[in-house]
């Protein structure tokens, strides 16, 4: 594989994707337990490169953040309560929390479903 030429691809990527990219650049086989996707495809314009099964995850303390192409939601891990909800297209600075706004409950339920899709590959990965 070759290093990327374009500086900023328009794809959802996460820090867990860098290990897969390093393996691709080195020409190594990736272990089955590696959950990330190589970011190199994002630089080639491959439409499959932006396929994050539910979105991108980040965990910090008792919080889980899910980012999709349009939304960001922060959930309390133990209760599942939504602590913040933002439309990243209309509010990229995340200054207008949508929790409690009209239509937010349906959006939250859709994001909960996407969160489940994001967690499934991590939960089913073999433990080394």
């Amino acid at each position: 594989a070759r290093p990327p030429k374009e500086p900023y691809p328009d794809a959802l990527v996460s820090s867990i994707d860098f290990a897969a990219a390093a393996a691709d650049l080195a020409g190594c086989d990736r272990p089955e337990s590696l959950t990330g996707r190589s970011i190199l495809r994002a630089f080639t314009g491959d439409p499959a490169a932006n396929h994050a099964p539910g979105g991108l995850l980040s965990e910090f303390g008792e919080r889980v953040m899910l980012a999709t192409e349009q939304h960001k939601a922060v959930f309390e891990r133990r209760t599942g309560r939504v602590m913040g909800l933002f439309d990243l297209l209309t509010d990229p600075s995340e200054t207008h929390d949508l929790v409690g706004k009209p239509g937010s409950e349906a959006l939250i339920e859709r994001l909960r479903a996407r969160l489940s899709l994001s967690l499934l590959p991590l939960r089913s990965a073999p433990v080394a």
Side-chain angles (χ1 to χ4, degrees):
R2 295 183 145 188
K5 294 179 182 177
E6 308 249 343
Y8 303 107
D10 188 21
L12 290 173
V13 296
S14 175
S15 59
I16 67 169
D17 298 328
F18 293 118
D24 283 353
L25 283 170
C28 300
D29 291 331
R30 288 187 251 156
E32 287 185 32
S33 60
L34 190 64
T35 57
R37 305 165 297 125
S38 176
I39 62 171
L40 296 182
R41 293 185 341 178
F43 290 93
T44 65
D46 183 351
N50 201 24
H51 179 68
L56 300 180
L57 293 177
S58 179
E59 294 184 72
F60 44 100
E62 291 299 315
R63 300 175 183 160
V64 175
M65 184 272 303
L66 172 71
T68 68
E69 296 84 359
Q70 182 172 356
H71 295 100
K72 176 180 176 179
V74 179
F75 299 90
E76 187 175 29
R77 200 168 58 167
R78 279 184 276 133
T79 65
R81 179 178 70 90
V82 179
M83 303 171 74
L85 176 63
F86 304 95
D87 185 322
L88 300 174
L89 298 181
T90 62
D91 181 23
S93 298
E94 302 173 23
T95 57
H96 300 9
D97 191 345
L98 300 175
V99 173
K101 302 285 193 261
S104 67
E105 286 303 316
L107 174 58
I108 289 168
E109 289 311 308
R110 288 193 307 273
L111 291 172
R112 281 187 207 283
R114 288 190 73 171
L115 178 62
S116 295
L117 287 174
S118 294
L119 290 172
L120 283 175
L122 300 176
R123 300 291 187 239
S124 63
V127 178

